[in-house]
Amino acid sequence: HVHHGPSRLTMPLLRDAASKPWQEASWPTALQHLGGRLRRIIDEHGCDAVGVYSGNMAGQSLGAVLGAAALLEGLDCRKHYAVLTLDNAPMFVVAERMFGVPTATFVADYAHSDMILLVGTDPLSSQASQAQSHPRAVPDLLARARAGQLVVVDPRMSATARRASLHLAPAPGSDVALLAWLVGEVAERGSRDDRCTQSDVDAIRAAVARFDETAVQAWTGLSQGSLYDLRDRLLDAEHPLVWSGLGVLLGPCGTVGWWLTVVLQTLL
């Protein structure tokens, strides 16, 4: 449907000014025009004056991926934006600061988790992302739901929330407070990850100390029983998984929210 859509461009379009209509142009004419403009911009302002944006469908085309990489190298350009810049930028910031590589993350492996906590994400509607398990992500998630091992934190009753054994609906934007409280509660037990030292755990506890039970109840609107139920499910699981989605990443504190997600997963 995309490839044969009636509005799909089959020839380059050029116009002399924003007020002028678009006119079809040949490829040699369009490339000469574009190359000349880029050359003048770089000569006058330097390479950082140019940015490259790759649309969503570019990620589905090997030619577009390789072409964008070649263009960036040819322009000596460091500014590459894409749809992931819009919705996953906090992930990249946290990954670079924590792991040293902006594209590093952990994998949401539904199949081998015995308790799944999804915060602000609805994979049964939107399909799982590349990092969320594998092509069998949806069947695996439904299997965990049937086993009573799926918990969803989402202000709305999403398709995924309807399958959950526990659905908590906090006030919009308060998920970061909830994650901070969970980090503090789990940190009381220490970390199962040997790479997380006691001094790391102490620093984490100090960072989230203000998010006590009373404060988090006020922020989220959740009851004490709901908070304890969620905490106990995480602590009782052998292989728990915590994953935050766009509801957290696009919130007012998305970067902190994803950092807390990674920290919580590390402690568990």
Side-chain angles (χ1 to χ4, degrees):
H1 291 303
V2 172
H3 193 275
H4 298 288
S7 60
R8 177 176 178 263
L9 295 180
T10 58
M11 289 288 292
L13 300 179
L14 288 176
R15 62 183 180 185
D16 296 329
S19 59
K20 298 293 183 65
W22 292 99
Q23 301 290 337
E24 285 192 355
S26 67
W27 278 104
T29 299
L31 291 173
Q32 184 177 16
H33 172 80
L34 179 59
R37 291 196 63 185
L38 284 172
R39 182 75 271 162
R40 290 193 298 273
I41 290 170
I42 292 173
D43 287 346
E44 184 175 352
H45 302 288
C47 298
D48 282 342
V50 176
V52 175
Y53 181 86
S54 299
N56 196 33
M57 292 306 295
Q60 317 303 321
S61 168
L62 179 60
V65 171
L66 296 178
L71 178 61
L72 288 163
E73 184 177 359
L75 294 173
D76 193 21
C77 176
R78 298 176 297 169
K79 297 180 178 179
H80 185 198
Y81 307 96
V83 290
L84 294 177
T85 314
L86 302 177
D87 56 24
N88 285 336
M91 281 187 170
F92 301 140
V93 173
V94 172
E96 187 168 29
R97 300 296 287 272
M98 293 187 73
F99 310 129
V101 181
T103 54
T105 186
F106 62 94
V107 175
D109 186 357
Y110 299 147
H112 298 95
S113 301
D114 59 357
M115 189 280 188
I116 298 173
L117 171 60
L118 300 180
V119 185
T121 184
D122 182 18
L124 292 184
S125 293
S126 61
Q127 301 299 313
S129 70
Q130 296 94 324
Q132 287 179 272
S133 197
H134 51 78
R136 281 191 49 83
V138 169
D140 287 343
L141 186 60
L142 290 174
R144 299 282 70 77
R146 288 192 296 270
Q149 298 171 339
L150 174 61
V151 175
V152 173
V153 174
D154 197 317
R156 66 189 187 90
M157 180 59 75
S158 66
T160 307
R162 283 193 291 271
R163 299 294 191 107
S165 54
L166 175 63
H167 171 219
L168 301 182
S174 67
D175 36 46
V176 169
L178 176 59
L179 287 166
W181 178 77
L182 287 172
V183 165
E185 292 291 298
V186 174
E188 290 286 342
R189 184 197 62 186
S191 175
R192 291 177 175 176
D193 192 325
D194 294 338
R195 291 166 293 185
C196 192
T197 66
Q198 185 57 49
S199 61
D200 293 330
V201 174
D202 293 340
I204 290 168
R205 291 176 61 188
V208 298
R210 62 174 293 202
F211 296 94
D212 59 28
E213 178 186 310
T214 302
V216 172
Q217 284 187 67
W219 271 315
T220 63
L222 298 175
S223 67
Q224 181 187 69
S226 295
L227 294 176
Y228 285 177
D229 189 3
L230 174 58
R231 178 200 63 188
D232 293 344
R233 287 172 186 249
L234 282 173
L235 291 175
D236 291 344
E238 285 293 321
H239 303 288
L241 167 68
V242 182
W243 190 271
S244 297
L246 294 186
V248 175
L249 296 173
L250 296 181
C253 305
T255 303
V256 175
W258 182 248
W259 175 73
L260 288 167
T261 302
V262 178
V263 169
L264 182 55
Q265 185 65 63
T266 302
L267 293 172
L268 290 168

